[in-house]
Amino acid sequence: MHVDDAILSRKSVRRFLPEPVSLETVEHLLKVAGRAPSGSNIQPWRVHVVGGRARERLSDAIMAAFDAGTADHRPEYHYYPEHWFEPYLGRRRRCGYGLYESLGIQRDDKQKRLEQMRRNYLFFDAPVGMIVTIDRRLEAGSYMDTGMLIQSILVAARGQGLHTCAQAAFAWYHDIIREQLGLDDNELVLCGIALGHEDPEAPENHFITEREPIEAFTTFHGFV
């Protein structure tokens, strides 16, 4: 697959088929993604891959905590701003409303919205899950580096005919993940990634988010 096609066909898949993904395939795409750049080549990331019973145990533990209430669970970093403002608020709302509309969930149906949120912790039924961490002693540049690794994983997966969903939702349950996977104390949980074969019949997988035209985010200097 041409790299342009891999990038353009990448999307957040939220329902996967039960078809397995081999360990060899996962190892291959991680070797490819591991070529992501990082400042001074420090490679500040770690990836914990879960499948089979390990994935089930992790999902079960997180969903039990989710069902008990989320008040005691917070990520160790700020993903979103405390106070939203435009144009980001509008983009976020269009994304959320569009997803729920594809699923037939009304905006005021809190129960069904919670049920959909809960599916994050099943890795949306994907056979393979990943937890991406960063060494907490590092600084902002290493977050950018790890973001490039994550994007490389998503694109490399397309090269293998697979789909993914990057899931910041896992950061809320870092304490459970730490216990389940035996993370080092210096590992800060950034996100999860669901990996597998897309369910083409799932309506939520037909929801494609819009993108701004390059004129909206690019300024050219020195071009005639």
Side-chain angles (χ1 to χ4, degrees):
M1 184 182 293
H2 190 281
V3 65
D4 287 5
D5 296 326
I7 293 171
L8 291 172
S9 64
R10 185 216 62 80
K11 60 182 179 180
S12 295
V13 164
R14 294 182 174 86
R15 188 174 298 273
F16 292 84
L17 296 172
E19 184 177 344
V21 176
S22 71
L23 176 59
E24 291 76 17
T25 297
V26 177
E27 289 176 335
H28 173 79
L29 69 88
L30 287 173
K31 286 178 183 178
V32 172
R35 293 298 304 173
S38 60
S40 299
N41 195 36
I42 67 171
Q43 302 167 70
W45 49 71
R46 287 189 62 83
V47 181
H48 298 265
V49 184
V50 291
R53 281 296 301 146
R55 186 191 64 81
E56 292 173 10
R57 286 193 297 269
L58 179 61
S59 291
D60 289 346
I62 295 177
M63 288 191 296
F66 181 86
D67 292 343
T70 61
D72 296 331
H73 298 278
R74 291 288 185 273
E76 296 186 278
Y77 68 99
H78 296 290
Y79 192 99
Y80 293 118
E82 183 177 355
H83 302 289
W84 284 94
F85 51 94
E86 296 298 347
Y88 314 109
L89 176 60
R91 292 173 185 170
R92 185 187 193 217
R93 284 176 171 169
R94 286 193 296 274
C95 178
Y97 293 159
L99 173 61
Y100 292 135
E101 183 178 351
S102 73
L103 289 163
I105 298 175
Q106 300 300 315
R107 296 183 186 181
D108 59 351
D109 194 335
K110 294 182 179 179
Q111 183 57 41
K112 286 189 176 180
R113 290 174 66 173
L114 274 176
E115 290 172 3
Q116 177 61 24
M117 180 65 183
R118 189 179 188 269
R119 285 185 42 73
N120 271 281
Y121 306 116
L122 287 169
F123 292 97
F124 295 117
D125 302 321
V128 176
M130 300 182 188
I131 299 295
V132 181
T133 70
I134 187 174
D135 192 313
R136 69 175 68 252
R137 296 168 293 181
L138 297 173
E139 297 293 344
S142 292
Y143 285 79
M144 293 193 295
D145 296 341
T146 307
M148 288 186 277
L149 171 83
I150 294 167
Q151 170 73 346
S152 296
I153 291 173
L154 308 187
V155 173
R158 292 299 301 126
Q160 298 299 309
L162 300 170
H163 273 286
T164 54
C165 186
Q167 302 168 269
F170 279 97
W172 264 254
Y173 294 93
H174 58 88
D175 52 343
I176 295 173
I177 295 170
R178 185 174 309 283
E179 178 182 358
Q180 288 284 320
L181 303 184
L183 301 189
D184 182 275
D185 289 343
N186 288 321
E187 289 186 72
L188 185 150
V189 174
L190 286 180
C191 70
I193 300 175
L195 171 71
H197 296 272
E198 175 190 11
D199 181 350
E201 302 300 322
E204 61 266 47
N205 290 340
H206 294 281
F207 169 63
I208 307 296
T209 52
E210 63 185 20
R211 290 295 187 273
E212 295 293 314
I214 65 169
E215 293 82 7
F217 63 85
T218 308
T219 302
F220 293 98
H221 302 267
F223 289 83
V224 177

